[in-house]
Amino acid sequence: MANLKEWIPLMLQGCGLTVKLFFIVIVLSLPLGLILTFLYTGKSYVIRKIVGFYILIMRGTPLLLQIFFIYFGLPFVPKIGPMLTINDRFTAGCLAYVLNYAAYFAEIFRGGLLSVDKGQYEAAKVLGMTETQTTFKIILPQMIRISLPAVSNEAIILVKDTALITTIGLADLLKVTNNIVNRTTNITAFIVAGCFYLVMSYFLTLAFKHLEKRYAF
Amino acid sequence: MKMIEVKNIRKSFGDLEVLKDVSFDVEQGDVVAILGPSGSGKSTMLRSLIELEKVDRGEIKIEGETLCTNGVYAPKRKKRAILNKMGMVFQHFNLFPHMNIRDNLMCACLCSKQGTKKELEKLAEELLAKVELSDKIDAMPAQLSGGQKQRVAIARALMRKPDIMLFDEPTSALDPELTKEVLNVIKQLSREKMTMLIVTHEIGFAVEAANKIIFLDGGYVAASGTPDEVVNNSGNERIMSFLDKVM
Ligand SMILES: Nc1ncnc2c1ncn2[C@@H]1O[C@H](COP(=O)(O)OP(=O)(O)O)[C@@H](O)[C@H]1O
Ligand SMILES: [Mg+2]
């Protein structure tokens, strides 16, 4: 307990990395998920099949395996391994999370897209709107609004999933905490870390609740 | 002047032939009520006029311009110009739920640069006044009653300044006490000589407001003419039994 002053700053640093990872992944995977949704529901049969396969792989295998695959596995790919190697742990980690979460978000958005009433397309058409105008002004806003609760849920899972990055040796909140506990032989740090995660999830929930209210219809 | 000419159109959904051979003309200022049993193809026929359904055979002309002949549609630009002459109102209103009433009215017009924002705003206010909903301009669709939603939908269609209005059961989703306010708006349009096609089960309204009735049955026009000819003096048994049911 005496060294609280010493290890709290360390934990905050770990938090910083966790938060940074969270935001990078959210900011990149949401738009990527959106693009995947439109490819997945688009006109090209081949692209639909490819995206379907991609989503199957990403959702059907452990995120931890994907992280290992990208950081440890890619260098061992025969012949082109060296070209695929990502030396920076953080970059490799981010990539794995983004690819994985984009697949989940794509499925969430697809659900949202399916629940937009077909009368909306018809109304837009008889009002003379083009397909592009209809997509961006009419369909997309409704689809995103419908998807918000599920996106919120997924984002909270991400807060906790960030802890997996510990496994490739990055000093995130969990890693730092674990080191402190080992050093001090005292579990207080675990409890403090738990509170940190809880606070992050809590504020995220609030933020999404606010968005849901703001865009209610 | 002939506003709509429909010649021998046919339309199938897979194996189901819904329109078998439908022909009729609509003159400028006509108010045409389309009657018929459920599933007789009324909606399909109306939706074909505005290309929500593609017909397989036959010809559709709008204001003398050919929309399609035997499944071949006019090129994109021309088609767009033809379709722009018509507005449509749906049974379930189909307002855009994420926009307030003002934006519901203005959205499509802004997209197609039909006018400046100021002009369109003025037009929206005028049309809302016409359907007696001026106070709802900032409301969201979810805050309106069914009758109010449908009146907004009519105003929204009028924003495009159509020459022809198509209504597909505009009052079927409404509580009986709310149908009147919608029918009154339609009657007002008819006094202004708007050309209209209305699919409806309100026989009383059809007889009173329409100058022409088309009775569809089994994919054919079973009868057409003035309300008097079709409703009162038709010897057609199917029509009689249909009228018995709905009156
Ligand atoms: N998109 C569609 N796909 C398949 N069948 C349809 C479709 N739309 C309508 N139908 C069928 O066509 C027939 C006529 O439908 P509709 O034009 O809606 O009739 P009405 O409006 O007169 O009740 C019905 O049997 C209906 O089930
Ligand atoms: Mg119908």
Side-chain angles (χ1 to χ4, degrees):
Chain A
M1 265 295 155
N3 335 356
L4 206 77
K5 268 213 203 98
E6 184 195 317
W7 51 260
I8 284 282
L10 284 177
M11 288 183 75
L12 284 174
Q13 259 181 23
C15 255
L17 189 105
T18 294
V19 169
K20 189 170 139 197
L21 177 63
F22 173 83
F23 276 107
I24 290 177
V25 174
I26 279 287
V27 164
L28 295 178
S29 62
L30 279 173
L32 185 58
L34 204 55
I35 293 168
L36 287 175
T37 300
F38 281 108
L39 295 177
Y40 198 21
T41 55
K43 288 185 181 129
S44 159
Y45 176 82
V46 178
I47 290 179
R48 284 203 310 265
K49 284 290 156 199
I50 293 173
V51 174
F53 185 67
Y54 172 83
I55 291 175
L56 178 72
I57 301 285
M58 286 297 157
R59 297 203 313 163
T61 62
L63 173 57
L64 192 52
L65 173 65
Q66 295 163 17
I67 295 172
F68 281 6
F69 186 87
I70 287 180
Y71 184 62
F72 297 124
L74 286 184
F76 299 134
V77 176
K79 296 221 171 63
I80 53 168
M83 266 157 50
L84 297 176
T85 306
I86 302 169
N87 283 316
D88 181 46
R89 292 160 196 267
F90 188 72
T91 311
C94 279
L95 182 64
Y97 279 95
V98 169
L99 293 179
N100 179 277
Y101 271 79
Y104 279 94
F105 286 135
E107 274 299 77
I108 289 173
F109 288 138
R110 192 172 67 91
L113 191 62
L114 288 177
S115 41
V116 175
D117 184 53
K118 90 178 201 315
Q120 295 290 305
Y121 295 89
E122 297 185 346
K125 176 168 180 188
V126 300
L127 288 166
M129 295 175 74
T130 64
E131 266 179 52
T132 316
Q133 289 163 349
T134 306
T135 301
F136 284 99
K137 303 248 176 204
I138 308 298
I139 305 305
L140 206 58
Q142 294 185 54
M143 164 182 134
I144 289 174
R145 175 60 190 83
I146 296 168
S147 306
L148 266 183
V151 168
S152 159
N153 197 37
E154 205 56 42
I156 286 164
I157 295 176
L158 175 59
V159 170
K160 296 165 293 169
D161 268 359
T162 55
L164 290 175
I165 205 163
T166 298
T167 55
I168 55 171
L170 276 161
D172 75 320
L173 178 55
L174 181 65
K175 182 81 171 179
V176 172
T177 309
N178 197 31
N179 288 346
I180 291 168
V181 171
N182 280 336
R183 214 158 5 99
T184 59
T185 61
N186 180 320
I187 62 157
T188 316
F190 275 151
I191 293 166
V192 174
C195 292
F196 278 175
Y197 282 114
L198 202 57
V199 166
M200 286 188 262
S201 310
Y202 176 70
F203 279 108
L204 199 59
T205 310
L206 281 190
F208 272 100
K209 282 263 154 61
H210 176 75
L211 281 181
E212 280 174 36
K213 255 216 199 96
R214 170 83 176 65
Y215 293 103
F217 54 67
Chain B
M1 172 185 168
K2 285 215 170 72
M3 298 298 273
I4 300 177
E5 293 158 83
V6 171
K7 284 202 193 92
N8 310 106
I9 58 168
R10 289 156 159 256
K11 164 77 187 169
S12 302
F13 293 110
D15 288 338
L16 180 70
E17 194 169 33
V18 177
L19 302 179
K20 291 174 181 151
D21 183 6
V22 173
S23 305
F24 61 89
D25 290 345
V26 177
E27 302 282 335
Q28 162 104 56
D30 270 355
V31 177
V32 182
I34 297 158
L35 308 181
S38 181
S40 58
K42 304 180 297 295
S43 296
T44 306
M45 203 271 297
L46 200 68
R47 291 159 56 84
S48 298
L49 299 176
I50 199 159
E51 209 217 1
L52 287 175
E53 309 291 354
K54 296 222 173 193
V55 294
D56 308 322
R57 300 246 131 230
E59 187 178 55
I60 299 176
K61 280 188 183 179
I62 307 294
E63 298 183 20
E65 309 253 20
T66 305
L67 175 65
C68 65
T69 342
N70 291 333
V72 183
Y73 278 75
K76 208 164 179 174
R77 256 163 186 282
K78 188 179 171 202
K79 188 172 78 182
R80 192 166 276 281
I82 295 173
L83 295 178
N84 267 335
K85 297 180 191 301
M86 292 175 282
M88 178 151 183
V89 172
F90 301 88
Q91 181 176 355
H92 295 288
F93 331 123
N94 299 351
L95 296 182
F96 304 132
H98 58 298
M99 295 178 184
N100 65 21
I101 302 309
R102 182 198 317 270
D103 292 338
N104 259 280
L105 263 64
M106 290 171 51
C107 178
C109 302
L110 284 172
C111 279
S112 61
K113 304 200 172 66
Q114 184 186 311
T116 65
K117 194 158 183 222
K118 242 197 171 135
E119 290 162 3
L120 292 173
E121 208 149 310
K122 189 156 164 285
L123 182 60
E125 281 163 19
E126 281 169 22
L127 288 171
L128 280 179
K130 182 175 175 144
V131 298
E132 294 177 27
L133 287 171
S134 294
D135 54 326
K136 300 293 183 193
I137 192 159
D138 291 312
M140 297 299 277
Q143 298 167 318
L144 305 186
S145 73
Q148 292 172 332
K149 281 183 199 166
Q150 195 60 299
R151 284 185 280 151
V152 169
I154 295 172
R156 183 177 69 174
L158 293 173
M159 287 289 291
R160 307 289 283 166
K161 309 203 163 126
D163 299 335
I164 302 164
M165 285 282 282
L166 312 176
F167 295 83
D168 192 0
E169 302 201 27
T171 60
S172 295
L174 301 179
D175 293 333
E177 74 267 24
L178 298 178
T179 61
K180 215 166 139 197
E181 63 189 52
V182 172
L183 296 182
N184 282 340
V185 172
I186 298 175
K187 280 182 201 158
Q188 176 59 32
L189 289 175
S190 106
R191 280 192 287 277
E192 294 164 13
K193 297 291 166 226
M194 173 69 80
T195 306
M196 295 189 281
L197 276 73
I198 309 163
V199 173
T200 182
H201 292 295
E202 306 275 338
I203 305 295
F205 167 76
V207 170
E208 181 194 340
N211 65 333
K212 188 172 169 189
I213 289 182
I214 294 176
F215 188 91
L216 276 190
D217 188 24
Y220 299 99
V221 177
S224 72
T226 64
D228 197 45
E229 284 165 2
V230 175
V231 174
N232 299 329
N233 300 314
S234 157
N236 188 317
E237 231 168 84
R238 296 275 300 172
I239 299 175
M240 288 310 160
S241 83
F242 171 77
L243 291 176
D244 271 348
K245 268 183 227 138
V246 293
M247 289 227 279

